[in-house]
Amino acid sequence: MSKEIAQLNELWTDIYYRLRYNHSEKITHQAIRILQVIQKESEVGIKEIARAIQVSHNTASEHVKRLLEKGYIVKTRSAADERKVILQLTAEGNDILHRHSSLDEEKLRHLLFEKMTKEERQAVLDAFALLKERADDVYYR
Amino acid sequence: MSKEIAQLNELWTDIYYRLRYNHSEKITHQAIRILQVIQKESEVGIKEIARAIQVSHNTASEHVKRLLEKGYIVKTRSAADERKVILQLTAEGNDILHRHSSLDEEKLRHLLFEKMTKEERQAVLDAFALLKERADDVYYR
DNA sequence: TTATTTATATCGTATCATAAGATATATTCT
DNA sequence: AGAATATATCTTATGATACGATATAAATAA
């Protein structure tokens, strides 16, 4: 493993450890994973959830049922095929996922606007955008 | 919330979603959190674990016991106070934590060395280092 | 020295999270 | 019409998670 890869990963995990939200509401591990899939992919149904988290369709359906009950997602039927459901996050769903996978906004605000110059801020954003753009190439190849 | 903060968070979660390891071994959610604490903090004992993951000391002790059994951590007694234990990750512990919190090395190798110029690579690393340095300020303030 | 506090370990009990086989209904495809 | 597909529900079972009660040992206070 090259020095750069190890370095980047250490920076990555360090940054997350320092900047993540501290006091999170209780939500299950698989629920977070499912909400992520729904947010990051398009046209997500039970089959896609099952495949993404590597469980049977019945397990996936049960998980989805619970998320519906909690109000984190909503379900519609696909116009193209009425057997298929299309799942989407609600505002609550987006909110709780945010808190379990994003960087704490207050910490970010402080960091970006009180600890960085405008140029530094832009450099960070540019670097992240570049990394994400290249990551898309890897993900979708 | 400012545009930059939202943008950074979307980039952050997108990058992780695309670059994380795909097929992870089964390890529990709290186990990962504990391994992270042990890796990122110093002089970690039962009390520190309990506080970090917000459980009672007995629960923390049980969790630690299981991680010891799996060989993910080792335990020593503090020379300064023999009641206290000091926990450290084993190579296996580091390895499994890596797979549940870091970016996939193969994806990173491909991305950094086949999709980026040397200048771009350096810009990304510099930006991450800067963000981490400022994150330290926020975390330790 | 004794009493109290601190740090961890173990046991028993309980609830929640997670999973999948069996079965069912509805829709789409052959 | 029959087969395949997509999801939903029920039943059963194991693992994950948590903490009160209790215990031992070490450190600190009186």
Side-chain angles (χ1 to χ4, degrees), chain A residues 72-135:
Chain A
Y72 293 144
I73 60 175
V74 289
K75 177 167 75 168
T76 54
R77 288 279 165 175
S78 164
D81 180 345
E82 287 193 9
R83 297 172 300 181
K84 284 179 176 297
V85 300
I86 304 293
L87 302 168
Q88 289 178 298
L89 296 190
T90 62
E92 288 155 278
N94 262 300
D95 197 48
I96 199 162
L97 177 58
H98 173 81
R99 256 197 295 286
H100 282 80
S101 62
S102 299
L103 306 174
D104 184 318
E105 285 177 12
E106 182 52 36
K107 290 176 184 174
L108 271 187
R109 189 199 60 75
H110 185 70
L111 183 158
L112 288 176
F113 294 104
E114 290 171 35
K115 297 280 182 180
M116 277 190 186
T117 65
K118 184 174 169 192
E119 285 73 37
E120 285 173 331
R121 195 155 59 242
Q122 197 57 50
V124 167
L125 282 168
D126 289 345
F128 269 74
L130 173 63
L131 186 60
K132 190 257 181 183
E133 184 184 319
R134 297 293 187 274

Side-chain angles (χ1 to χ4, degrees), chain A residues 46-47 57-58 61-62 65 75 83:
Chain A
I46 303 293
K47 189 166 78 169
H57 80 267
N58 21 11
S61 187
E62 296 277 355
K65 184 172 162 186
K75 177 167 75 168
R83 297 172 300 181

Side-chain angles (χ1 to χ4, degrees), chain B residues 25-36:
Chain B
E25 304 94 313
K26 296 299 180 186
I27 177 165
T28 71
H29 181 52
Q30 293 292 58
I32 292 294
R33 292 178 74 199
I34 291 165
L35 293 177
Q36 272 177 328

Side-chain angles (χ1 to χ4, degrees), chain B residues 81-126:
Chain B
D81 179 346
E82 287 193 10
R83 298 171 302 180
K84 286 178 174 297
V85 299
I86 305 293
L87 302 168
Q88 288 178 299
L89 297 190
T90 61
E92 287 157 279
N94 263 301
D95 197 46
I96 199 162
L97 176 58
H98 174 80
R99 258 198 294 286
H100 283 80
S101 61
S102 298
L103 307 175
D104 185 319
E105 284 176 16
E106 183 52 36
K107 290 175 185 174
L108 272 186
R109 189 199 62 73
H110 184 70
L111 184 159
L112 288 176
F113 294 104
E114 291 171 33
K115 297 280 184 181
M116 278 189 189
T117 65
K118 185 174 166 193
E119 284 73 35
E120 286 174 330
R121 193 154 62 243
Q122 197 56 50
V124 166
L125 282 167
D126 289 344

